[in-house]
Amino acid sequence: MNTPDTRERLLDAAQKLFVEHGIDATSLRNVTTDAEANLASVNYHFGSKDELIQAVFARHLEPLNKERIRLLDELEREAGDTPLYLETTLEAFLKPTFEMMQNQKSREFVCLLGRLFTESSELKMLIMHQFQEVQKRYFAALQRTLPHLGIIDLSWRVHFMIGAMAHTFAVPEKLSIPSSSEAYNLTEESIMQHLITFAAAGLRAPVPSQTNGDNQK
Amino acid sequence: MNTPDTRERLLDAAQKLFVEHGIDATSLRNVTTDAEANLASVNYHFGSKDELIQAVFARHLEPLNKERIRLLDELEREAGDTPLYLETTLEAFLKPTFEMMQNQKSREFVCLLGRLFTESSELKMLIMHQFQEVQKRYFAALQRTLPHLGIIDLSWRVHFMIGAMAHTFAVPEKLSIPSSSEAYNLTEESIMQHLITFAAAGLRAPVPSQTNGDNQK
DNA sequence: GTAAAATTCAAACGTTCGTTTGAAACAAAC
DNA sequence: GTTTGTTTCAAACGAACGTTTGAATTTTAC
């Protein structure tokens, strides 16, 4: 049990090093050394570095998105025709990710996922494609809950919320505010509640009366 | 005027390519080719690739932070002892950056800055150090405006706001919500107003009564 | 116009990268 | 025990990287 499959050890090492030093800055030699495997093992098990990267993401991403869809399905089935409560929708969206953060290895993955939004290249496209159904479903749910918001307003607010979420996942040092060395680290559950409170208030904010001629639906 | 200093052309090319392909993935050969300069020119003018990167940031970062401080100084001088209006504080913080986005070259820089938060390495540390005074000043201003918020609550909410802001700056394709091909691109001014509305509401959200025993000040 | 300084240039340096290879080691099947 | 298929290994490949060098070129100063 100390040494699982070479394939698994490679994925673990790659994920760890990707978080520590970034994907580009991590060489296959770093990965295989950390995994105590031969340099050629990556190309044997995955074919190439690119496919290793995709495998690192694929391992956790599909279950995560499936769970987000499942929770929304469940909520909408219970609710029938009535729109969901905003905080309930947000919690369904966020909970699977925050639960991943309980476990060290999945936590690394969440961190990697948070950073992905600001990555360049085709990798983002590929991951985003898998995320599109989740996005579409939750956006529709939010539209039903906040029908007074035009699609432009809602889109921007969702954009801001995604940013707050990604940043929370991506930046491990958490609270960047220094001051006294208090015990800042809250539980994941508590952090999620803070985020839900913040995002829900932002999403619910009254639309300011436009004083200029912007294209508002 | 078509060909400014080699030094300047190198900075422009590096900035452009950093945004397009990421810092690590951009080679000095890419930079010098794009700048129509010799490969050795980077090491001649800057010393090394690392110092080129720092120069790209230094060029715009210091004026930006200085302006943020200046605006806050001005507001606090006018207000005297009374705390600032929340939206006013946020606008002072955001306006210098959004104004940078009007110009194409500075806009690239803003994009680069937004992505920096999720970068690894010592570069972030170096940039963050320059940002610390701004952070301290604005955090104090927010504390005066929102005195009912404990430092932990406020810290997290600022964290979320920074995330929303960084994401807005970093992701150029802007609205990730597809649907109809409407004219989604608003003016920078309008986007800033959307962000201020969202962040102000999030910051002002009532603190939920804690049902569990979290460490709340 | 000439001397001095600053800049550009082509070429090469040593490293590190991702990938390939073919033999060795191991496992499973009969 | 031999055969077959899978996995590991050390070694090498060519390509691309950041950097250095020393001569050529341009700019500056007098």
Side-chain angles (χ1 to χ4, degrees):
Chain A
M1 76 176 292
N2 197 13
T3 51
D5 278 357
T6 300
R7 216 189 114 91
E8 207 75 12
R9 291 207 318 278
L10 288 171
L11 287 172
D12 287 343
Q15 181 176 272
K16 190 186 87 179
L17 295 171
F18 287 170
V19 172
E20 271 177 39
H21 309 111
I23 295 179
D24 282 337
T26 300
S27 72
L28 294 189
R29 284 166 176 85
N30 296 144
V31 173
T32 51
T33 300
D34 192 279
E36 301 186 56
N38 187 272
L39 169 59
S41 59
V42 167
N43 289 278
Y44 174 77
H45 284 283
F46 299 96
S48 67
K49 185 185 181 181
D50 255 329
E51 289 169 283
L52 168 66
I53 298 171
Q54 291 184 34
V56 167
F57 279 94
R59 184 165 59 150
H60 291 128
L61 193 59
E62 200 179 329
L64 177 65
N65 283 334
K66 280 235 159 61
E67 177 68 4
R68 291 203 258 222
I69 295 281
R70 193 191 65 79
L71 285 175
L72 186 58
D73 278 339
E74 195 175 297
L75 288 174
E76 291 187 330
R77 188 164 38 75
E78 286 172 3
D81 281 348
T82 62
L84 297 175
Y85 185 55
L86 179 53
E87 276 82 353
T88 309
T89 308
L90 296 183
E91 178 162 346
F93 183 71
L94 293 172
K95 191 146 203 157
T97 323
F98 274 99
E99 272 173 359
M100 279 191 123
M101 294 178 83
Q102 312 283 3
N103 170 278
Q104 173 58 24
K105 275 189 197 165
S106 339
R107 184 193 192 89
E108 286 170 359
F109 171 74
V110 171
C111 183
L112 213 52
L113 203 57
R115 294 185 190 182
L116 183 76
F117 281 93
T118 59
E119 296 262 347
S120 53
S121 84
E122 324 84 25
L123 176 65
K124 190 170 98 179
M125 307 288 189
L126 201 141
I127 306 295
M128 283 307 204
H129 184 73
Q130 298 190 41
F131 182 65
Q132 253 178 10
E133 195 199 340
V134 175
Q135 178 170 307
K136 192 181 290 184
R137 287 288 311 277
Y138 275 89
F139 191 82
L142 291 174
Q143 267 187 307
R144 280 193 293 276
T145 302
L146 305 165
H148 61 286
L149 279 184
I151 190 171
I152 294 180
D153 281 304
L154 182 57
S155 296
W156 275 107
R157 293 177 184 196
V158 167
H159 187 82
F160 300 145
M161 188 195 77
I162 297 281
M165 182 194 72
H167 191 233
T168 303
F169 293 152
V171 183
E173 53 274 38
K174 285 301 148 65
L175 284 188
S176 42
I177 312 298
S179 89
S180 64
S181 60
E182 209 157 331
Y184 274 143
N185 288 337
L186 312 183
T187 65
E188 310 302 343
E189 170 72 20
S190 161
I191 295 172
M192 185 178 73
Q193 290 307 331
H194 276 85
L195 178 51
I196 289 177
T197 300
F198 182 88
L203 284 165
R204 267 200 275 253
V207 179
S209 61
Q210 65 253 38
T211 53
N212 51 9
D214 269 343
N215 47 344
Q216 191 76 24
K217 182 175 181 181
Chain B
M1 75 175 291
N2 199 16
T3 52
D5 278 358
T6 300
R7 215 188 116 91
E8 208 75 10
R9 290 207 318 277
L10 288 171
L11 287 171
D12 287 343
Q15 180 176 272
K16 189 185 88 179
L17 295 171
F18 288 170
V19 172
E20 271 178 39
H21 310 110
I23 295 178
D24 283 337
T26 300
S27 72
L28 294 189
R29 286 167 175 83
N30 295 144
V31 173
T32 51
T33 300
D34 192 279
E36 301 186 59
N38 187 270
L39 170 59
S41 59
V42 167
N43 288 279
Y44 174 77
H45 284 283
F46 299 96
S48 67
K49 185 184 181 181
D50 256 328
E51 289 168 284
L52 167 67
I53 297 171
Q54 291 184 35
V56 167
F57 278 94
R59 183 165 60 150
H60 291 128
L61 193 60
E62 199 178 331
L64 177 65
N65 282 334
K66 280 234 159 62
E67 177 69 3
R68 291 203 258 222
I69 295 283
R70 194 190 65 79
L71 285 175
L72 186 57
D73 279 339
E74 196 174 298
L75 288 174
E76 290 187 331
R77 188 165 37 77
E78 287 171 4
D81 281 348
T82 62
L84 296 175
Y85 185 54
L86 179 54
E87 277 81 354
T88 309
T89 308
L90 296 183
E91 178 163 344
F93 183 72
L94 293 172
K95 190 145 202 159
T97 322
F98 274 100
E99 272 173 358
M100 279 191 121
M101 294 178 83
Q102 312 283 3
N103 171 277
Q104 173 58 22
K105 276 190 196 165
S106 343
R107 183 192 193 92
E108 286 170 359
F109 172 73
V110 171
C111 183
L112 213 51
L113 202 57
R115 295 185 189 180
L116 183 75
F117 281 93
T118 58
E119 296 263 347
S120 53
S121 84
E122 324 84 24
L123 176 64
K124 190 170 97 178
M125 307 287 190
L126 201 141
I127 307 294
M128 283 307 204
H129 183 73
Q130 299 190 39
F131 183 63
Q132 253 179 10
E133 194 200 341
V134 175
Q135 178 170 306
K136 192 182 290 184
R137 287 287 311 276
Y138 275 90
F139 190 82
L142 290 174
Q143 266 188 306
R144 281 192 292 276
T145 302
L146 305 165
H148 61 286
L149 280 185
I151 190 172
I152 294 180
D153 281 304
L154 182 57
S155 296
W156 276 106
R157 292 177 184 196
V158 167
H159 186 82
F160 300 145
M161 187 195 77
I162 297 281
M165 181 194 73
H167 191 233
T168 303
F169 293 152
V171 182
E173 52 274 39
K174 286 301 148 65
L175 283 189
S176 41
I177 311 298
S179 90
S180 64
S181 60
E182 208 158 332
Y184 275 142
N185 288 338
L186 312 183
T187 63
E188 310 301 343
E189 170 72 20
S190 161
I191 295 172
M192 185 180 73
Q193 290 306 331
H194 277 84
L195 179 51
I196 289 177
T197 300
F198 181 88
L203 285 166
R204 267 200 276 254
V207 178
S209 61
Q210 65 253 37
T211 54
N212 50 9
D214 269 343
N215 47 345
Q216 191 76 24
K217 181 172 183 182

